[in-house]
Amino acid sequence: MTPYIVLFNNEEQILFLADRSASTSGTEEEIYAFIQQSLKAKNPNQTVGLYSFAGDFRTDISLTKDQVRIPELESLGQISETNLEKAVTLAKTTGHPDAATRMVLLTDGLQTKGDVLSYLQKFTNNRVQIDVAKLENQTYSDAALTKLDVPRTSFAGQKQFMKVEVNSSNRTTGTLFLYKDDLLLGEEAIDLVPGLNQFTYPLPVAETGLVKYEAKLVVDNDHFLENNRMFAAVSVQGKPSVLIVENDDSPSVIPSLLDQKALNVTVLQATELPSIISGYLPYQAIIFDNVPGTVVGEQKMALIEQVVRNFGTGFMMTGGPNSFGLGGYFKTPIEELLPVEMEVKGKEELPSLGLVIVMDRSGSMSGSKLILAREAASRSVDLLREKDTFGFTAFDDSIWEVVPVGPINDKQEIIEKILAVPAAGGTNIFPSVEKAFQDLADLSLQRKHIILLTDGQSSMPPGYIDIIEEAKNNNTTLSTVGIGTDADQTLLEEMALTGGGRYYGVTDESTVPAILSRETITMTRTYIEDDPFYMKLGSVAEWNELFASGVPKMNAYIATTAKQTADVAAISPKEDPILAEWKYGLGRTLAFTSDSSGKWSGDLASWEQYPEFWNTAMTRILPSYSSAPYVLTQGNDGEFTITDTSGEAAFLEVSAVTETGEEIKVVEDQSLPGKTIVTLDSAPGLAYLSVTDDQNRLFETGVTIPYSEEYRPRNPDEELLTSIAKLMGGSVVTDPKEVFRSLPNRGEEHKTITTWLLFGSLLLFFSDITLRRFGRLVPALRTNRDAQQTSEDTGTSITELLKRKKKR
C-alpha cells in the first residue's frame, strides 16, 4: 500500500445537468432562470459547470471559479431519448475526483434509456451529492397515433380489418390518411376526444406477398409530429407473384409464356422499379429480361439483393445486348447474387487496348457524385488487363494528370490514386479531352477510347468538333456521361455522336458505375458469341427431363464465367454457361445467357415446349419454404418475441432490414427452443423481419419500431426524482439558491509521501556513513589536544619528548 497523508480540500464543485430531451421542450427559459437565480448565492470556494443531456451529453461551460455567463443553449442531436444514467456517469468524470461535488439535475425524470437508480445504488463516492429540480412539462396540444393493428397473415380475398388508435390531449379534429404500399387508400375527417380514440376500417383485397400499410394523422397545432405515423405489414398467402422487368424499347415475351392461372404476373419498365424495399416484397420472384444496369442503378440493385438474400425471393436474368457484362453489371449487387461472373476467360486473346477516363472534379461534383465517379473509374481499371494502356485525368479550371497514359503495371496503385481525387474549382471541359486525344494519338493500339464524365457546362474552343472528328479518324472514339440536370446535355450528346461513342444522360447517380463498366467491357472484347450452337446439358435433373427429347439449335449468347459453387445446367461448345443456378442466402437465382425473344435463342423460342421452359425456370427460383406458424408479440423499445406455436423448431434465425434496404442490427436472446426475443437497433419506422428455422420454414412480416416514449405526453416522474435525491443525500430543490449551500462532506486529497520518505531515508543513510567515517578522527584529535596541553603545562614540547625517547 502506498503511504499518504490526508489533506482536506475546501473546494466545492456544483455541476448543473440540464435535460434537453424532447419531453422538456419549451423549458429553456425555465432552465435559464433557475441557473441564473442560483448563481447569486455562489460562494468563492465553489466552482461551477454547466452540461446538457438527452440521449447524449455535452459540456456547455467547463468547471470554473470565474463569473459564469450562460450561453444560448443549442439543441442536442439525440433529443428522442433521456438517459439520466449516462448523464450522471459522464458528469462524474468532468471534475476533480476528490473534491466535494453536488450535481443539480434539472429534468422531468422521464428516462427512456438506462436505469439511473440501479446505477446510483452501486455508487461509492460519498463526496457526491445530487439535488433535483423538477422541470414542469409545458401545456400543449398533442394527438398521437398509438396503435395500427392488422393481422400478421391473411389469404388473398379474405376480409380483414385495420384498427387505429389515437390518444389526444384535448378535444379537437383532424384527418386520418391510410396508405397501402405507399398509395393512398383514403382519408377521413375525424373528431377526437381527450384520451383514447379508436377507429376500424376494412382492409382492401390484396395481392399475395408482404403488403405494407401506413396510417398518418394530421391535426392543427399538434405539438409532436414524430408520433403521427405508424406502419404495419400483412403477409398475404395465395398464388405466387412474379415481377418481370423489361427494357423500354424491347417488350418482354415472358408474360405470355408463363402459366398465369398459377402465377400473378406484373410487368414493369426498368425505369419504374421501386426505390424502397417494400416495393419488392410482394413478389416471390423477379426476372430481368435484357435490362441494362445503366438504367437500374446500384441502389435498386442493392434492394433486390436484400430481398433475395434475406426474404427468399427468386431472381432470374436473361441475356441480350443490354444484359450481364454488356449491361454494366460488373461488381454490382446483381452480379453478387447471380451464379455467374461478368468477366470471361481468354483475356490474353483480346486486342490491344487504350482507355483514358476524363473526370470532372469541380466543386459541384462533391459528395456522392464524385464518390460514385471514382468508384466507377476504379472498376474500369479492374476490367482491364495488365499491360493494357490506361490514363486518368481530372479537371476543374485546370488539368490534373492523376495517372499518365501508359501500360498498367500496378492496378492497386492506380485505383488508390483515383480514389484519392478531391473536389474543388470550376469547370473547363475540353482542354483535358484534347490532351487525352493527344496522349493516345501516336500509340499503336487496336482500340482506343475516351470516357468523359461531367456535371457542368463550359465554353468550347473554336474547332473542337474538328479535333474530335480527326481523333475518330485516328481510331480514337469518345463517349460522354452527363451527370445531373445542370450538365450541358446538348453539347455532350454532340461530342459523343461526333466521336463515334455513346452518350449517357444520368439523373440517378448510382448508375454511373454500371455505365463505365459497360463502356469498358464493350471496348475490351465482343462478349456476344454469335455462332449457332447446340447447348450441352449438365447434371440438373429438372432441366435434363425438360430436354429429354432433344436440344433445339440456338444462335447466340453472352459470355460469362460460372461461379465455383454454381449448378451449371447447360453449357456452350466453348464451355460458357447457358443455364446456371444456385442458392443465394434464402433465395435461388438463375442465369440464362441467351435471350427470350428468339433473336438469340433461335429454335428454342419456336419449340413447342418453350412455355414449359419458362415455367420450369419459375419452379427453380420460386421459394420452396413452407409457411411457419409463428406468433410475434411486440414489447417496448424495439423488442419483439417470436414463438413457434407448433413446437417443432429448435433454432430460429432472424434478419431485419429497413425500407431503404439497410440491414438492422438484431440482438437475439433464444432461451427456449422455438422462442426468441429480438431487439432491433434502428430508428423509428417500418422494419421487415425474416425468420427461418431448422424445419425449412420461413416467416416474413413487417413491424413498427415505435417512436420514443419522449413523444408520449406524460407528467414528470416525481417518484424517481425524490428517490434520486434521497439516495444521494440531496434534496428536491424549489429555491434555486439552495444548490450553493455548503456541502456536508469536505473533499479530501490523498497526497503520497513516498518521495519524501525516500529522500529522508537517503539523508539518514548518508549521515550515518559520514558519522561512521569521520567519527574515528574525533578521539585522535582529542588525544593530541590533551597531550599538547600537558606539554605546555610542563614547558616541554612534544618534539622534545620524542627526541628523548629516540636517544634512549
Side-chain angles (χ1 to χ4, degrees), residues 339-399:
V340 296
E341 297 175 355
M342 304 300 122
E343 287 190 277
V344 295
K345 304 181 294 290
K347 284 190 175 184
E348 67 280 356
E349 301 172 0
L350 307 185
S352 56
L353 309 171
L355 173 66
V356 178
I357 296 176
V358 179
M359 186 186 78
D360 187 344
R361 54 146 269 170
S362 61
S364 60
M365 285 284 290
S366 61
S368 59
K369 288 181 186 178
L370 187 65
I371 292 171
L372 289 166
R374 293 184 307 208
E375 171 64 22
S378 67
R379 289 187 193 179
S380 292
V381 175
D382 268 339
L383 282 166
L384 296 173
R385 302 164 299 177
E386 298 286 345
K387 306 305 180 183
D388 276 340
T389 299
F390 178 77
F392 184 85
T393 300
F395 68 88
D396 45 38
D397 303 297
S398 307
I399 298 174

Side-chain angles (χ1 to χ4, degrees), residues 204-239:
V205 176
E207 300 293 336
T208 57
L210 205 54
V211 181
K212 166 189 169 185
Y213 291 98
E214 176 186 353
K216 183 172 73 174
L217 178 65
V218 177
V219 175
D220 290 339
N221 302 316
D222 199 13
H223 184 72
F224 287 128
L225 300 181
E226 290 84 355
N227 57 20
N228 289 355
R229 295 177 71 196
M230 294 199 81
F231 304 89
V234 180
S235 180
V236 181
Q237 309 295 321
K239 292 192 301 184

Side-chain angles (χ1 to χ4, degrees), residues 775-791:
R776 298 190 185 96
L777 295 177
V778 174
L781 291 173
R782 185 179 294 115
T783 301
N784 288 340
R785 187 172 65 248
D786 292 346
Q788 185 176 0
Q789 183 64 40
T790 302
S791 56

